[in-house]
PDB file of all heavy atoms in Angstrom:
ATOM      1  N   ALA K  18      -1.410  -2.791  28.164  1.00  0.00           N
ATOM      2  CA  ALA K  18      -2.288  -2.066  27.239  1.00  0.00           C
ATOM      3  C   ALA K  18      -2.109  -0.558  27.359  1.00  0.00           C
ATOM      4  O   ALA K  18      -2.189   0.171  26.366  1.00  0.00           O
ATOM      5  CB  ALA K  18      -3.740  -2.456  27.475  1.00  0.00           C
ATOM      6  N   ALA K  19      -1.873  -0.071  28.583  1.00  0.00           N
ATOM      7  CA  ALA K  19      -1.710   1.368  28.773  1.00  0.00           C
ATOM      8  C   ALA K  19      -0.462   1.879  28.054  1.00  0.00           C
ATOM      9  O   ALA K  19      -0.489   2.940  27.407  1.00  0.00           O
ATOM     10  CB  ALA K  19      -1.646   1.694  30.265  1.00  0.00           C
ATOM     11  N   ALA K  20       0.636   1.141  28.158  1.00  0.00           N
ATOM     12  CA  ALA K  20       1.867   1.543  27.469  1.00  0.00           C
ATOM     13  C   ALA K  20       1.689   1.482  25.962  1.00  0.00           C
ATOM     14  O   ALA K  20       2.196   2.348  25.231  1.00  0.00           O
ATOM     15  CB  ALA K  20       3.023   0.640  27.899  1.00  0.00           C
ATOM     16  N   MET K  21       0.980   0.462  25.476  1.00  0.00           N
ATOM     17  CA  MET K  21       0.704   0.357  24.044  1.00  0.00           C
ATOM     18  C   MET K  21      -0.052   1.594  23.575  1.00  0.00           C
ATOM     19  O   MET K  21       0.306   2.226  22.576  1.00  0.00           O
ATOM     20  CB  MET K  21      -0.108  -0.911  23.759  1.00  0.00           C
ATOM     21  CG  MET K  21      -0.575  -1.069  22.328  1.00  0.00           C
ATOM     22  SD  MET K  21      -2.123  -0.185  21.924  1.00  0.00           S
ATOM     23  CE  MET K  21      -3.301  -1.047  22.959  1.00  0.00           C
ATOM     24  N   GLU K  22      -1.112   1.964  24.298  1.00  0.00           N
ATOM     25  CA  GLU K  22      -1.924   3.109  23.886  1.00  0.00           C
ATOM     26  C   GLU K  22      -1.107   4.394  23.873  1.00  0.00           C
ATOM     27  O   GLU K  22      -1.196   5.184  22.924  1.00  0.00           O
ATOM     28  CB  GLU K  22      -3.124   3.267  24.817  1.00  0.00           C
ATOM     29  CG  GLU K  22      -3.965   4.481  24.480  1.00  0.00           C
ATOM     30  CD  GLU K  22      -5.211   4.609  25.340  1.00  0.00           C
ATOM     31  OE1 GLU K  22      -5.674   3.583  25.884  1.00  0.00           O
ATOM     32  OE2 GLU K  22      -5.728   5.733  25.457  1.00  0.00           O
ATOM     33  N   GLU K  23      -0.311   4.624  24.898  1.00  0.00           N
ATOM     34  CA  GLU K  23       0.489   5.845  24.950  1.00  0.00           C
ATOM     35  C   GLU K  23       1.482   5.898  23.802  1.00  0.00           C
ATOM     36  O   GLU K  23       1.704   6.948  23.190  1.00  0.00           O
ATOM     37  CB  GLU K  23       1.222   5.941  26.285  1.00  0.00           C
ATOM     38  CG  GLU K  23       2.080   7.188  26.436  1.00  0.00           C
ATOM     39  CD  GLU K  23       1.295   8.489  26.241  1.00  0.00           C
ATOM     40  OE1 GLU K  23       0.082   8.507  26.562  1.00  0.00           O
ATOM     41  OE2 GLU K  23       1.898   9.475  25.764  1.00  0.00           O
ATOM     42  N   SER K  24       2.084   4.752  23.475  1.00  0.00           N
ATOM     43  CA  SER K  24       3.028   4.701  22.365  1.00  0.00           C
ATOM     44  C   SER K  24       2.351   5.049  21.048  1.00  0.00           C
ATOM     45  O   SER K  24       2.890   5.821  20.233  1.00  0.00           O
ATOM     46  CB  SER K  24       3.655   3.305  22.296  1.00  0.00           C
ATOM     47  OG  SER K  24       4.485   3.183  21.163  1.00  0.00           O
ATOM     48  N   VAL K  25       1.172   4.493  20.816  1.00  0.00           N
ATOM     49  CA  VAL K  25       0.446   4.750  19.573  1.00  0.00           C
ATOM     50  C   VAL K  25       0.045   6.214  19.471  1.00  0.00           C
ATOM     51  O   VAL K  25       0.232   6.864  18.430  1.00  0.00           O
ATOM     52  CB  VAL K  25      -0.790   3.833  19.484  1.00  0.00           C
ATOM     53  CG1 VAL K  25      -1.711   4.268  18.349  1.00  0.00           C
ATOM     54  CG2 VAL K  25      -0.366   2.391  19.280  1.00  0.00           C
ATOM     55  N   ARG K  26      -0.506   6.765  20.549  1.00  0.00           N
ATOM     56  CA  ARG K  26      -0.916   8.171  20.526  1.00  0.00           C
ATOM     57  C   ARG K  26       0.286   9.093  20.306  1.00  0.00           C
ATOM     58  O   ARG K  26       0.204  10.073  19.547  1.00  0.00           O
ATOM     59  CB  ARG K  26      -1.633   8.523  21.825  1.00  0.00           C
ATOM     60  CG  ARG K  26      -3.016   7.886  21.975  1.00  0.00           C
ATOM     61  CD  ARG K  26      -3.700   8.333  23.260  1.00  0.00           C
ATOM     62  NE  ARG K  26      -4.991   7.724  23.462  1.00  0.00           N
ATOM     63  CZ  ARG K  26      -6.141   8.193  22.972  1.00  0.00           C
ATOM     64  NH1 ARG K  26      -6.144   9.295  22.229  1.00  0.00           N
ATOM     65  NH2 ARG K  26      -7.284   7.561  23.215  1.00  0.00           N
ATOM     66  N   THR K  27       1.406   8.784  20.940  1.00  0.00           N
ATOM     67  CA  THR K  27       2.605   9.610  20.793  1.00  0.00           C
ATOM     68  C   THR K  27       3.114   9.588  19.363  1.00  0.00           C
ATOM     69  O   THR K  27       3.473  10.632  18.795  1.00  0.00           O
ATOM     70  CB  THR K  27       3.707   9.123  21.753  1.00  0.00           C
ATOM     71  OG1 THR K  27       3.240   9.259  23.099  1.00  0.00           O
ATOM     72  CG2 THR K  27       4.991   9.930  21.574  1.00  0.00           C
ATOM     73  N   ARG K  28       3.144   8.403  18.750  1.00  0.00           N
ATOM     74  CA  ARG K  28       3.626   8.300  17.368  1.00  0.00           C
ATOM     75  C   ARG K  28       2.718   9.049  16.409  1.00  0.00           C
ATOM     76  O   ARG K  28       3.199   9.693  15.467  1.00  0.00           O
ATOM     77  CB  ARG K  28       3.750   6.833  16.954  1.00  0.00           C
ATOM     78  CG  ARG K  28       4.937   6.119  17.597  1.00  0.00           C
ATOM     79  CD  ARG K  28       5.397   4.922  16.761  1.00  0.00           C
ATOM     80  NE  ARG K  28       4.347   3.938  16.559  1.00  0.00           N
ATOM     81  CZ  ARG K  28       4.115   2.922  17.380  1.00  0.00           C
ATOM     82  NH1 ARG K  28       4.831   2.780  18.485  1.00  0.00           N
ATOM     83  NH2 ARG K  28       3.157   2.049  17.123  1.00  0.00           N
ATOM     84  N   MET K  29       1.417   8.984  16.615  1.00  0.00           N
ATOM     85  CA  MET K  29       0.500   9.691  15.716  1.00  0.00           C
ATOM     86  C   MET K  29       0.628  11.204  15.858  1.00  0.00           C
ATOM     87  O   MET K  29       0.525  11.942  14.874  1.00  0.00           O
ATOM     88  CB  MET K  29      -0.936   9.234  15.960  1.00  0.00           C
ATOM     89  CG  MET K  29      -1.219   7.834  15.454  1.00  0.00           C
ATOM     90  SD  MET K  29      -2.981   7.453  15.401  1.00  0.00           S
ATOM     91  CE  MET K  29      -3.367   7.434  17.147  1.00  0.00           C
ATOM     92  N   ARG K  30       0.863  11.683  17.083  1.00  0.00           N
ATOM     93  CA  ARG K  30       1.080  13.119  17.267  1.00  0.00           C
ATOM     94  C   ARG K  30       2.387  13.554  16.609  1.00  0.00           C
ATOM     95  O   ARG K  30       2.462  14.643  16.013  1.00  0.00           O
ATOM     96  CB  ARG K  30       1.068  13.475  18.759  1.00  0.00           C
ATOM     97  CG  ARG K  30      -0.309  13.397  19.400  1.00  0.00           C
ATOM     98  CD  ARG K  30      -0.324  14.039  20.780  1.00  0.00           C
ATOM     99  NE  ARG K  30       0.520  13.332  21.731  1.00  0.00           N
ATOM    100  CZ  ARG K  30       0.085  12.392  22.565  1.00  0.00           C
ATOM    101  NH1 ARG K  30      -1.193  12.039  22.563  1.00  0.00           N
ATOM    102  NH2 ARG K  30       0.919  11.808  23.412  1.00  0.00           N
ATOM    103  N   ALA K  31       3.417  12.708  16.697  1.00  0.00           N
ATOM    104  CA  ALA K  31       4.687  13.029  16.048  1.00  0.00           C
ATOM    105  C   ALA K  31       4.529  13.077  14.524  1.00  0.00           C
ATOM    106  O   ALA K  31       5.108  13.944  13.858  1.00  0.00           O
ATOM    107  CB  ALA K  31       5.746  12.003  16.440  1.00  0.00           C
ATOM    108  N   SER K  32       3.744  12.163  13.972  1.00  0.00           N
ATOM    109  CA  SER K  32       3.497  12.178  12.528  1.00  0.00           C
ATOM    110  C   SER K  32       2.779  13.452  12.111  1.00  0.00           C
ATOM    111  O   SER K  32       3.094  14.051  11.074  1.00  0.00           O
ATOM    112  CB  SER K  32       2.677  10.953  12.127  1.00  0.00           C
ATOM    113  OG  SER K  32       3.408   9.762  12.317  1.00  0.00           O
ATOM    114  N   ALA K  33       1.812  13.875  12.925  1.00  0.00           N
ATOM    115  CA  ALA K  33       1.091  15.110  12.624  1.00  0.00           C
ATOM    116  C   ALA K  33       2.020  16.315  12.672  1.00  0.00           C
ATOM    117  O   ALA K  33       1.904  17.240  11.854  1.00  0.00           O
ATOM    118  CB  ALA K  33      -0.064  15.285  13.610  1.00  0.00           C
ATOM    119  N   GLN K  34       2.938  16.314  13.628  1.00  0.00           N
ATOM    120  CA  GLN K  34       3.910  17.400  13.706  1.00  0.00           C
ATOM    121  C   GLN K  34       4.784  17.426  12.455  1.00  0.00           C
ATOM    122  O   GLN K  34       5.053  18.491  11.890  1.00  0.00           O
ATOM    123  CB  GLN K  34       4.774  17.236  14.949  1.00  0.00           C
ATOM    124  CG  GLN K  34       5.733  18.387  15.187  1.00  0.00           C
ATOM    125  CD  GLN K  34       6.495  18.247  16.495  1.00  0.00           C
ATOM    126  OE1 GLN K  34       6.532  17.179  17.095  1.00  0.00           O
ATOM    127  NE2 GLN K  34       7.111  19.323  16.945  1.00  0.00           N
ATOM    128  N   ASP K  35       5.221  16.253  11.999  1.00  0.00           N
ATOM    129  CA  ASP K  35       6.012  16.171  10.767  1.00  0.00           C
ATOM    130  C   ASP K  35       5.227  16.708   9.569  1.00  0.00           C
ATOM    131  O   ASP K  35       5.806  17.261   8.637  1.00  0.00           O
ATOM    132  CB  ASP K  35       6.424  14.731  10.492  1.00  0.00           C
ATOM    133  CG  ASP K  35       7.473  14.220  11.459  1.00  0.00           C
ATOM    134  OD1 ASP K  35       8.096  15.034  12.168  1.00  0.00           O
ATOM    135  OD2 ASP K  35       7.665  12.986  11.508  1.00  0.00           O
ATOM    136  N   ALA K  36       3.917  16.506   9.606  1.00  0.00           N
ATOM    137  CA  ALA K  36       3.063  16.954   8.502  1.00  0.00           C
ATOM    138  C   ALA K  36       2.730  18.433   8.578  1.00  0.00           C
ATOM    139  O   ALA K  36       2.111  18.980   7.657  1.00  0.00           O
ATOM    140  CB  ALA K  36       1.768  16.142   8.498  1.00  0.00           C
ATOM    141  N   GLY K  37       3.112  19.096   9.669  1.00  0.00           N
ATOM    142  CA  GLY K  37       2.824  20.514   9.814  1.00  0.00           C
ATOM    143  C   GLY K  37       1.427  20.819  10.298  1.00  0.00           C
ATOM    144  O   GLY K  37       0.927  21.937  10.106  1.00  0.00           O
ATOM    145  N   LEU K  38       0.788  19.848  10.960  1.00  0.00           N
ATOM    146  CA  LEU K  38      -0.559  20.069  11.488  1.00  0.00           C
ATOM    147  C   LEU K  38      -0.501  20.815  12.817  1.00  0.00           C
ATOM    148  O   LEU K  38       0.554  20.936  13.446  1.00  0.00           O
ATOM    149  CB  LEU K  38      -1.269  18.733  11.674  1.00  0.00           C
ATOM    150  CG  LEU K  38      -1.589  17.970  10.393  1.00  0.00           C
ATOM    151  CD1 LEU K  38      -2.112  16.582  10.726  1.00  0.00           C
ATOM    152  CD2 LEU K  38      -2.610  18.720   9.553  1.00  0.00           C
ATOM    153  N   ALA K  39      -1.658  21.275  13.241  1.00  0.00           N
ATOM    154  CA  ALA K  39      -1.754  22.025  14.485  1.00  0.00           C
ATOM    155  C   ALA K  39      -1.410  21.142  15.680  1.00  0.00           C
ATOM    156  O   ALA K  39      -1.542  19.907  15.631  1.00  0.00           O
ATOM    157  CB  ALA K  39      -3.166  22.595  14.651  1.00  0.00           C
ATOM    158  N   ALA K  40      -0.990  21.762  16.764  1.00  0.00           N
ATOM    159  CA  ALA K  40      -0.675  21.030  17.985  1.00  0.00           C
ATOM    160  C   ALA K  40      -1.887  20.225  18.433  1.00  0.00           C
ATOM    161  O   ALA K  40      -3.022  20.711  18.396  1.00  0.00           O
ATOM    162  CB  ALA K  40      -0.257  22.009  19.084  1.00  0.00           C
ATOM    163  N   GLY K  41      -1.649  18.986  18.844  1.00  0.00           N
ATOM    164  CA  GLY K  41      -2.731  18.122  19.305  1.00  0.00           C
ATOM    165  C   GLY K  41      -3.338  17.263  18.219  1.00  0.00           C
ATOM    166  O   GLY K  41      -4.146  16.377  18.514  1.00  0.00           O
ATOM    167  N   ALA K  42      -2.967  17.504  16.970  1.00  0.00           N
ATOM    168  CA  ALA K  42      -3.494  16.698  15.863  1.00  0.00           C
ATOM    169  C   ALA K  42      -2.771  15.355  15.802  1.00  0.00           C
ATOM    170  O   ALA K  42      -1.721  15.154  16.410  1.00  0.00           O
ATOM    171  CB  ALA K  42      -3.339  17.445  14.546  1.00  0.00           C
ATOM    172  N   SER K  43      -3.358  14.422  15.052  1.00  0.00           N
ATOM    173  CA  SER K  43      -2.772  13.093  14.858  1.00  0.00           C
ATOM    174  C   SER K  43      -2.824  12.733  13.379  1.00  0.00           C
ATOM    175  O   SER K  43      -3.722  13.164  12.650  1.00  0.00           O
ATOM    176  CB  SER K  43      -3.532  12.033  15.668  1.00  0.00           C
ATOM    177  OG  SER K  43      -3.367  12.241  17.054  1.00  0.00           O
ATOM    178  N   ALA K  44      -1.862  11.927  12.960  1.00  0.00           N
ATOM    179  CA  ALA K  44      -1.808  11.530  11.551  1.00  0.00           C
ATOM    180  C   ALA K  44      -1.208  10.138  11.419  1.00  0.00           C
ATOM    181  O   ALA K  44      -0.498   9.656  12.308  1.00  0.00           O
ATOM    182  CB  ALA K  44      -0.984  12.526  10.740  1.00  0.00           C
ATOM    183  N   GLU K  45      -1.518   9.498  10.297  1.00  0.00           N
ATOM    184  CA  GLU K  45      -0.882   8.252   9.889  1.00  0.00           C
ATOM    185  C   GLU K  45      -0.067   8.520   8.628  1.00  0.00           C
ATOM    186  O   GLU K  45      -0.408   9.401   7.835  1.00  0.00           O
ATOM    187  CB  GLU K  45      -1.931   7.160   9.640  1.00  0.00           C
ATOM    188  CG  GLU K  45      -2.628   6.719  10.924  1.00  0.00           C
ATOM    189  CD  GLU K  45      -3.763   5.723  10.707  1.00  0.00           C
ATOM    190  OE1 GLU K  45      -4.283   5.634   9.564  1.00  0.00           O
ATOM    191  OE2 GLU K  45      -4.123   5.041  11.678  1.00  0.00           O
ATOM    192  N   GLU K  46       1.003   7.735   8.452  1.00  0.00           N
ATOM    193  CA  GLU K  46       1.940   7.956   7.358  1.00  0.00           C
ATOM    194  C   GLU K  46       1.867   6.836   6.328  1.00  0.00           C
ATOM    195  O   GLU K  46       1.678   5.672   6.678  1.00  0.00           O
ATOM    196  CB  GLU K  46       3.374   8.023   7.896  1.00  0.00           C
ATOM    197  CG  GLU K  46       3.596   9.110   8.914  1.00  0.00           C
ATOM    198  CD  GLU K  46       5.044   9.195   9.360  1.00  0.00           C
ATOM    199  OE1 GLU K  46       5.923   8.609   8.673  1.00  0.00           O
ATOM    200  OE2 GLU K  46       5.300   9.842  10.393  1.00  0.00           O
ATOM    201  N   PHE K  47       2.064   7.210   5.061  1.00  0.00           N
ATOM    202  CA  PHE K  47       2.004   6.251   3.972  1.00  0.00           C
ATOM    203  C   PHE K  47       3.059   6.565   2.917  1.00  0.00           C
ATOM    204  O   PHE K  47       3.470   7.705   2.740  1.00  0.00           O
ATOM    205  CB  PHE K  47       0.629   6.272   3.301  1.00  0.00           C
ATOM    206  CG  PHE K  47      -0.502   5.885   4.199  1.00  0.00           C
ATOM    207  CD1 PHE K  47      -1.205   6.854   4.908  1.00  0.00           C
ATOM    208  CD2 PHE K  47      -0.855   4.556   4.359  1.00  0.00           C
ATOM    209  CE1 PHE K  47      -2.246   6.494   5.754  1.00  0.00           C
ATOM    210  CE2 PHE K  47      -1.886   4.190   5.202  1.00  0.00           C
ATOM    211  CZ  PHE K  47      -2.587   5.162   5.902  1.00  0.00           C
ATOM    212  N   HIS K  48       3.445   5.534   2.204  1.00  0.00           N
ATOM    213  CA  HIS K  48       4.179   5.676   0.954  1.00  0.00           C
ATOM    214  C   HIS K  48       3.178   5.363  -0.152  1.00  0.00           C
ATOM    215  O   HIS K  48       2.832   4.207  -0.390  1.00  0.00           O
ATOM    216  CB  HIS K  48       5.356   4.704   0.929  1.00  0.00           C
ATOM    217  CG  HIS K  48       6.138   4.728  -0.348  1.00  0.00           C
ATOM    218  ND1 HIS K  48       7.101   3.777  -0.652  1.00  0.00           N
ATOM    219  CD2 HIS K  48       6.121   5.584  -1.411  1.00  0.00           C
ATOM    220  CE1 HIS K  48       7.633   4.051  -1.823  1.00  0.00           C
ATOM    221  NE2 HIS K  48       7.052   5.129  -2.310  1.00  0.00           N
ATOM    222  N   VAL K  49       2.680   6.404  -0.791  1.00  0.00           N
ATOM    223  CA  VAL K  49       1.647   6.257  -1.809  1.00  0.00           C
ATOM    224  C   VAL K  49       2.301   6.061  -3.180  1.00  0.00           C
ATOM    225  O   VAL K  49       3.197   6.820  -3.571  1.00  0.00           O
ATOM    226  CB  VAL K  49       0.714   7.486  -1.819  1.00  0.00           C
ATOM    227  CG1 VAL K  49      -0.186   7.473  -3.046  1.00  0.00           C
ATOM    228  CG2 VAL K  49      -0.123   7.521  -0.541  1.00  0.00           C
ATOM    229  N   VAL K  50       1.847   5.041  -3.875  1.00  0.00           N
ATOM    230  CA  VAL K  50       2.366   4.721  -5.204  1.00  0.00           C
ATOM    231  C   VAL K  50       1.203   4.754  -6.198  1.00  0.00           C
ATOM    232  O   VAL K  50       0.185   4.081  -5.997  1.00  0.00           O
ATOM    233  CB  VAL K  50       3.017   3.326  -5.217  1.00  0.00           C
ATOM    234  CG1 VAL K  50       3.511   2.976  -6.624  1.00  0.00           C
ATOM    235  CG2 VAL K  50       4.159   3.254  -4.208  1.00  0.00           C
ATOM    236  N   SER K  51       1.349   5.533  -7.244  1.00  0.00           N
ATOM    237  CA  SER K  51       0.365   5.540  -8.328  1.00  0.00           C
ATOM    238  C   SER K  51       0.670   4.373  -9.257  1.00  0.00           C
ATOM    239  O   SER K  51       1.681   4.371  -9.964  1.00  0.00           O
ATOM    240  CB  SER K  51       0.424   6.864  -9.093  1.00  0.00           C
ATOM    241  OG  SER K  51      -0.443   6.833 -10.197  1.00  0.00           O
ATOM    242  N   VAL K  52      -0.191   3.361  -9.252  1.00  0.00           N
ATOM    243  CA  VAL K  52       0.029   2.178 -10.085  1.00  0.00           C
ATOM    244  C   VAL K  52      -0.450   2.431 -11.515  1.00  0.00           C
ATOM    245  O   VAL K  52       0.256   2.157 -12.486  1.00  0.00           O
ATOM    246  CB  VAL K  52      -0.673   0.948  -9.492  1.00  0.00           C
ATOM    247  CG1 VAL K  52      -0.378  -0.306 -10.323  1.00  0.00           C
ATOM    248  CG2 VAL K  52      -0.248   0.733  -8.035  1.00  0.00           C
ATOM    249  N   ASN K  53      -1.641   2.949 -11.638  1.00  0.00           N
ATOM    250  CA  ASN K  53      -2.196   3.275 -12.939  1.00  0.00           C
ATOM    251  C   ASN K  53      -2.848   4.648 -12.872  1.00  0.00           C
ATOM    252  O   ASN K  53      -3.696   4.906 -12.018  1.00  0.00           O
ATOM    253  CB  ASN K  53      -3.243   2.245 -13.375  1.00  0.00           C
ATOM    254  CG  ASN K  53      -2.612   0.956 -13.849  1.00  0.00           C
ATOM    255  OD1 ASN K  53      -2.014   0.901 -14.928  1.00  0.00           O
ATOM    256  ND2 ASN K  53      -2.728  -0.098 -13.046  1.00  0.00           N
ATOM    257  N   ASN K  54      -2.447   5.502 -13.795  1.00  0.00           N
ATOM    258  CA  ASN K  54      -3.044   6.835 -13.931  1.00  0.00           C
ATOM    259  C   ASN K  54      -3.176   7.128 -15.416  1.00  0.00           C
ATOM    260  O   ASN K  54      -2.762   6.307 -16.246  1.00  0.00           O
ATOM    261  CB  ASN K  54      -2.197   7.881 -13.201  1.00  0.00           C
ATOM    262  CG  ASN K  54      -0.773   7.957 -13.743  1.00  0.00           C
ATOM    263  OD1 ASN K  54      -0.572   8.273 -14.912  1.00  0.00           O
ATOM    264  ND2 ASN K  54       0.216   7.664 -12.883  1.00  0.00           N
ATOM    265  N   PRO K  55      -3.756   8.252 -15.802  1.00  0.00           N
ATOM    266  CA  PRO K  55      -3.964   8.494 -17.244  1.00  0.00           C
ATOM    267  C   PRO K  55      -2.697   8.478 -18.085  1.00  0.00           C
ATOM    268  O   PRO K  55      -2.752   8.278 -19.299  1.00  0.00           O
ATOM    269  CB  PRO K  55      -4.615   9.897 -17.254  1.00  0.00           C
ATOM    270  CG  PRO K  55      -5.326   9.967 -15.947  1.00  0.00           C
ATOM    271  CD  PRO K  55      -4.432   9.265 -14.975  1.00  0.00           C
ATOM    272  N   GLU K  56      -1.521   8.689 -17.440  1.00  0.00           N
ATOM    273  CA  GLU K  56      -0.270   8.703 -18.194  1.00  0.00           C
ATOM    274  C   GLU K  56       0.435   7.347 -18.233  1.00  0.00           C
ATOM    275  O   GLU K  56       1.456   7.179 -18.890  1.00  0.00           O
ATOM    276  CB  GLU K  56       0.694   9.731 -17.576  1.00  0.00           C
ATOM    277  CG  GLU K  56       0.295  11.191 -17.816  1.00  0.00           C
ATOM    278  CD  GLU K  56      -0.883  11.605 -16.949  1.00  0.00           C
ATOM    279  OE1 GLU K  56      -0.839  11.297 -15.751  1.00  0.00           O
ATOM    280  OE2 GLU K  56      -1.820  12.226 -17.475  1.00  0.00           O
ATOM    281  N   THR K  57      -0.116   6.358 -17.524  1.00  0.00           N
ATOM    282  CA  THR K  57       0.556   5.060 -17.423  1.00  0.00           C
ATOM    283  C   THR K  57       0.547   4.333 -18.766  1.00  0.00           C
ATOM    284  O   THR K  57      -0.494   4.240 -19.436  1.00  0.00           O
ATOM    285  CB  THR K  57      -0.125   4.169 -16.369  1.00  0.00           C
ATOM    286  OG1 THR K  57      -0.059   4.829 -15.100  1.00  0.00           O
ATOM    287  CG2 THR K  57       0.581   2.830 -16.247  1.00  0.00           C
ATOM    288  N   ILE K  58       1.704   3.805 -19.137  1.00  0.00           N
ATOM    289  CA  ILE K  58       1.829   2.956 -20.316  1.00  0.00           C
ATOM    290  C   ILE K  58       2.230   1.575 -19.826  1.00  0.00           C
ATOM    291  O   ILE K  58       3.187   1.421 -19.073  1.00  0.00           O
ATOM    292  CB  ILE K  58       2.904   3.492 -21.292  1.00  0.00           C
ATOM    293  CG1 ILE K  58       2.538   4.914 -21.752  1.00  0.00           C
ATOM    294  CG2 ILE K  58       3.068   2.549 -22.487  1.00  0.00           C
ATOM    295  CD1 ILE K  58       3.617   5.571 -22.588  1.00  0.00           C
ATOM    296  N   ALA K  59       1.502   0.549 -20.231  1.00  0.00           N
ATOM    297  CA  ALA K  59       1.785  -0.807 -19.762  1.00  0.00           C
ATOM    298  C   ALA K  59       3.230  -1.187 -20.062  1.00  0.00           C
ATOM    299  O   ALA K  59       3.703  -1.039 -21.185  1.00  0.00           O
ATOM    300  CB  ALA K  59       0.819  -1.795 -20.403  1.00  0.00           C
ATOM    301  N   GLY K  60       3.901  -1.685 -19.021  1.00  0.00           N
ATOM    302  CA  GLY K  60       5.268  -2.151 -19.182  1.00  0.00           C
ATOM    303  C   GLY K  60       6.327  -1.078 -19.012  1.00  0.00           C
ATOM    304  O   GLY K  60       7.522  -1.361 -19.132  1.00  0.00           O
ATOM    305  N   PHE K  61       5.915   0.170 -18.669  1.00  0.00           N
ATOM    306  CA  PHE K  61       6.876   1.255 -18.488  1.00  0.00           C
ATOM    307  C   PHE K  61       6.633   1.937 -17.156  1.00  0.00           C
ATOM    308  O   PHE K  61       5.551   1.886 -16.605  1.00  0.00           O
ATOM    309  CB  PHE K  61       6.737   2.289 -19.612  1.00  0.00           C
ATOM    310  CG  PHE K  61       7.158   1.755 -20.955  1.00  0.00           C
ATOM    311  CD1 PHE K  61       6.244   1.131 -21.793  1.00  0.00           C
ATOM    312  CD2 PHE K  61       8.471   1.859 -21.382  1.00  0.00           C
ATOM    313  CE1 PHE K  61       6.627   0.621 -23.025  1.00  0.00           C
ATOM    314  CE2 PHE K  61       8.860   1.384 -22.615  1.00  0.00           C
ATOM    315  CZ  PHE K  61       7.936   0.763 -23.440  1.00  0.00           C
TER     316      PHE K  61
END
């Protein structure tokens, strides 16, 4: 469990660094897809 926790904390700090956050911050990463928005046309 200790190794799991350290791995998770390290990855979140690395993600925050990639995002340009301050030292010591943590972040999660996503691929965000807009499925429907005001410009969406069905089938396109």
Side-chain angles (χ1 to χ4, degrees):
M21 174 276 295
E22 177 176 337
E23 180 56 31
S24 175
V25 169
R26 290 183 182 274
T27 298
R28 287 205 301 271
M29 288 193 293
R30 289 192 295 266
S32 294
Q34 185 175 15
D35 289 345
L38 293 172
S43 293
E45 292 175 340
E46 301 183 15
F47 298 92
H48 177 191
V49 169
V50 178
S51 175
V52 183
N53 284 288
N54 60 62
E56 288 74 47
T57 300
I58 301 174
F61 292 90

